[in-house]
Amino acid sequence: MAGTTVLLLIHPGKVFYSYNNSNASYKQCEALINDIISQFHDAEESGATELTLVVPAYDVIYNWPLADFAGDNIATALYHHNITQSYISVKEITPSRTKNALFNISEFDLEKNLKEVYSVLLVE
């Protein structure tokens, strides 16, 4: 919500402005979430009750925006939206540069992208 408010101030008159902190395209974001869902479905099909979620690596604290503490929130959202039929807990989130290469997401762009968005607000 705060990000949307900031963008409305930067881009007045636009109710919708497509953005994400990684500057990933819609197709990249869709492929990433499909991969996360697939990891949960694979665990569910094998009868597992927990998994190690492998996500792209980001060169920032806690691997934000796919932070190492977000596993329970992801698991809960997938379960409550009936994407998984059973609750699969995330015992660990493992950042992997292999996922960065797979989705063509740079681990170093996040901080630069955040600075670009917020520096416009601070300068004006």
Side-chain angles (χ1 to χ4, degrees):
M1 182 66 171
T4 302
T5 303
V6 167
L7 286 170
L8 283 173
L9 294 171
I10 296 170
H11 304 283
K14 291 187 177 182
V15 176
F16 174 78
Y17 189 81
S18 179
Y19 77 99
N20 59 60
N21 292 327
S22 301
N23 203 25
S25 70
Y26 177 85
K27 286 184 178 188
Q28 288 170 303
C29 293
E30 184 177 39
L32 175 57
I33 193 61
N34 285 339
D35 180 71
I36 289 171
I37 291 169
S38 290
Q39 291 179 61
F40 275 85
H41 282 165
D42 291 346
E44 191 171 40
E45 287 173 9
S46 71
T49 59
E50 66 179 12
L51 63 80
T52 297
L53 186 61
V54 182
V55 299
Y58 294 95
D59 186 37
V60 293
I61 192 166
Y62 305 120
N63 201 56
W64 190 86
L66 293 169
D68 56 5
F69 53 80
D72 287 336
N73 293 335
I74 295 169
T76 299
L78 294 178
Y79 180 67
H80 285 305
H81 290 282
N82 296 316
I83 295 170
T84 57
Q85 302 306 306
S86 57
Y87 183 84
I88 309 290
S89 65
V90 177
K91 70 177 176 183
E92 180 181 3
I93 291 185
T94 303
S96 168
R97 288 184 179 90
T98 302
K99 294 288 183 178
N100 294 71
L102 180 63
F103 301 114
N104 195 27
I105 296 174
S106 172
E107 67 182 291
F108 301 108
D109 284 348
L110 183 64
E111 191 171 336
K112 177 184 69 109
N113 293 333
L114 287 172
K115 285 179 183 176
E116 285 177 14
V117 169
Y118 293 111
S119 67
V120 171
L121 179 64
L122 297 174
V123 171
E124 291 181 358

